[in-house]
């Protein structure tokens, strides 16, 4: 499934959910997981603490909460900010970015959260929404944005890779002009699923403005037994942002497929992954993605379980941050 399809598909959170209901369930989960980080051993050697922003990816709520209610709901849970979707079907429509993004960011900051990055579908500087989005974001103090995806047609992959690189270079130049940094996301099925291909057009660019948006799930899924470790180290010196999520392999009638799952219950080696982040002293934003379907037979049960999942996954993430970077 293409990411453009995913971005407009139903959210894992179903139907309508009130802020009070979500916070009530999440608060109980927060109390239950308050000591989760303490159970994770601290790093033997003290490193520079992580000072970046831990964010929640807003995609999971874009069908049920506007940005104001989302910020008010998320802030008490312990997040530093939101990774806000500014793309078709997202919290901010691309063609409305100049008007709506300042209002969204203002409302979010009123709730004592930040917006250190936005997720876009931008792949070309020629996109008429590109400059308004990037210029507006930069004026608001947003430092990073996630670009869109390039596709292999598997006709001539060298030519297709070269074409993707040309478009990305133009987008990176526009980002530099606007004063915002671009991160390219390694997502399965697209150019960059294997980081060696996207590195061919990222590495020659100015590291101040262009780098990787490294995804723990997709780098593991595409890296097999050990190539994922090479890929993580390849990206580490050029990291801009990090996406955290987990998965497991599932046998289906169509063959093996990956399925999303709660953080720490899948195939991602979080200890190794966060260890590399700490060694590289990554201080950019970390975005928590919850893309698995919550359990439950009713909408109410699913919403309640998703509230618990948000709190639980955040506790797991922070525990690994503490272990890798040392005491925060």
């Amino acid at each position: 499934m293409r990411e453009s399809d995913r971005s407009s598909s139903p959210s894992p959170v179903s139907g309508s959910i009130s802020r009070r209901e979500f916070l009530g369930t999440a608060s109980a989960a927060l109390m239950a997981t308050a000591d989760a980080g303490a159970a994770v051993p601290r790093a033997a050697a003290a490193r520079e603490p992580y000072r970046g922003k831990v964010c929640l990816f807003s995609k999971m709520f874009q069908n049920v909460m506007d940005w104001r209610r989302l910020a008010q709901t998320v802030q008490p849970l312990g997040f530093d900010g939101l990774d806000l979707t500014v793309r078709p079907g997202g919290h901010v429509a691309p063609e409305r970015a100049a008007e709506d993004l300042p209002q969204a960011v203002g409302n979010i900051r009123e709730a004592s959260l930040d917006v250190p990055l936005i997720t876009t579908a931008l792949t070309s500087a020629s996109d008429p929404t590109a400059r308004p989005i990037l210029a507006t974001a930069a004026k608001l103090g947003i430092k990073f944005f996630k670009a869109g995806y390039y596709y292999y047609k598997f006709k001539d992959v060298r030519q297709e890779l070269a074409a993707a690189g040309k478009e990305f270079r133009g987008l990176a130049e526009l980002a530099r002009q606007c004063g915002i940094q671009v991160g390219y996301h390694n997502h399965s099925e697209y150019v960059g699923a294997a980081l060696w291909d996207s590195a061919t057009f990222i590495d020659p660019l100015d590291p101040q403005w262009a780098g990787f948006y490294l995804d723990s799930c997709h780098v593991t899924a595409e890296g097999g037994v050990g190539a994922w470790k090479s890929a993580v180290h390849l990206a580490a010196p050029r990291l801009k942002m990090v996406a955290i999520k987990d998965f497991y392999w599932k046998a289906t009638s169509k063959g093996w497929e990956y399925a999303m799952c709660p953080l720490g219950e899948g195939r991602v080696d979080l200890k190794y992954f966060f260890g590399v982040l700490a060694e590289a002293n990554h201080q950019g934003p970390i975005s928590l993605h919850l893309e698995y379907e919550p359990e439950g037979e009713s909408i109410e049960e699913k919403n309640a379980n998703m509230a618990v999942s948000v709190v639980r996954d955040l506790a797991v993430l922070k525990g690994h941050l503490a272990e890798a970077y040392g005491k925060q």
Side-chain angles (χ1 to χ4, degrees), residues 5-57:
D5 297 329
R6 289 191 181 96
S7 65
S8 58
S9 62
S11 167
V13 177
S14 305
S16 177
I17 178 172
S18 73
R19 177 176 178 267
R20 178 178 296 178
E21 291 170 339
F22 188 91
L23 279 178
T25 305
S27 295
L30 189 60
M31 292 178 64
T33 59
D35 295 326
V40 179
R42 301 302 184 199
R47 289 180 172 137
E48 186 174 349
Y50 177 70
R51 304 182 308 277
K53 305 285 187 178
V54 176
C55 304
L56 180 66
F57 186 32

Side-chain angles (χ1 to χ4, degrees), residues 122-142:
L122 297 174
T123 57
S124 174
S126 64
D127 186 321
T129 68
R131 186 175 290 275
I133 290 173
L134 301 185
T136 302
K139 288 178 182 178
L140 293 169
I142 297 171

Side-chain angles (χ1 to χ4, degrees), residues 235-273:
R238 298 283 306 246
L239 281 183
K240 294 297 180 184
M241 312 96 85
V242 171
I244 296 294
K245 54 193 177 193
D246 208 343
F247 80 103
Y248 64 93
W249 291 109
K250 178 175 69 174
T252 72
S253 59
K254 298 180 181 179
W256 287 95
E257 296 181 355
Y258 64 85
M260 300 301 179
C261 68
L263 200 61
E265 295 184 7
R267 304 305 304 167
V268 175
D269 186 339
L270 292 169
K271 182 174 183 177
Y272 189 96
F273 187 87

Side-chain angles (χ1 to χ4, degrees), residues 15-312:
S16 177
I17 178 172
S18 73
R19 177 176 178 267
R20 178 178 296 178
E21 291 170 339
F22 188 91
L23 279 178
T25 305
S27 295
L30 189 60
M31 292 178 64
T33 59
D35 295 326
V40 179
R42 301 302 184 199
R47 289 180 172 137
E48 186 174 349
Y50 177 70
R51 304 182 308 277
K53 305 285 187 178
V54 176
C55 304
L56 180 66
F57 186 32
S58 78
K59 172 185 171 181
M60 61 177 287
F61 288 111
Q62 63 193 21
N63 294 333
V64 293
M65 289 187 186
D66 63 21
W67 57 67
R68 182 192 298 270
R69 194 152 64 96
L70 177 60
Q72 294 171 343
T73 301
V74 167
Q75 192 277 333
L77 304 184
F79 288 93
D80 302 311
L82 290 173
D83 173 359
L84 194 66
T85 50
V86 184
R87 63 184 183 185
H91 270 104
V92 175
E95 64 276 10
R96 293 280 309 171
E99 296 80 14
D100 291 349
L101 188 56
Q103 182 180 351
V105 172
N107 291 159
I108 292 167
R109 288 175 176 164
E110 285 174 4
S112 300
L113 289 175
D114 197 8
V115 183
L117 74 158
I118 56 173
T119 287
T120 78
L122 297 174
T123 57
S124 174
S126 64
D127 186 321
T129 68
R131 186 175 290 275
I133 290 173
L134 301 185
T136 302
K139 288 178 182 178
L140 293 169
I142 297 171
K143 294 183 178 180
F144 306 93
F145 80 98
K146 170 187 164 187
Y149 300 101
Y150 305 104
Y151 310 127
Y152 281 121
K153 298 178 181 177
F154 300 113
K155 302 296 184 182
D156 185 337
V157 296
R158 289 181 175 83
Q159 184 178 18
E160 290 155 14
L161 179 59
K166 181 178 180 180
E167 291 286 14
F168 187 80
R169 285 192 295 274
L171 185 63
E173 172 56 23
L174 177 61
R176 185 194 66 78
Q177 293 173 13
C178 292
I180 186 169
Q181 302 172 56
V182 59
Y184 188 70
H185 185 213
N186 57 296
H187 197 298
S188 298
E189 303 181 51
Y190 309 116
V191 172
L195 273 74
W196 292 271
D197 54 2
S198 54
T200 62
F201 55 76
I202 291 175
D203 283 354
L205 299 175
D206 186 340
Q208 180 178 351
W209 299 107
F212 294 96
Y213 183 12
L214 183 63
D215 189 301
S216 62
C217 164
H218 294 296
V219 74
T220 305
E222 294 292 329
V225 176
W228 67 270
K229 291 184 178 180
S230 301
V232 172
H233 284 279
L234 176 71
R238 298 283 306 246
L239 281 183
K240 294 297 180 184
M241 312 96 85
V242 171
I244 296 294
K245 54 193 177 193
D246 208 343
F247 80 103
Y248 64 93
W249 291 109
K250 178 175 69 174
T252 72
S253 59
K254 298 180 181 179
W256 287 95
E257 296 181 355
Y258 64 85
M260 300 301 179
C261 68
L263 200 61
E265 295 184 7
R267 304 305 304 167
V268 175
D269 186 339
L270 292 169
K271 182 174 183 177
Y272 189 96
F273 187 87
F274 277 97
V276 177
L277 299 188
E279 289 175 2
N281 193 28
H282 172 68
Q283 297 293 340
I286 294 176
S287 178
L288 177 63
H289 293 217
L290 290 94
E291 299 184 3
Y292 50 90
E293 184 72 19
E295 296 181 355
E297 296 183 0
S298 66
I299 291 175
E300 291 75 16
E301 288 179 353
K302 289 185 177 182
N303 286 336
N305 286 332
M306 182 52 71
V308 172
S309 296
V310 170
V311 172
R312 180 197 170 281

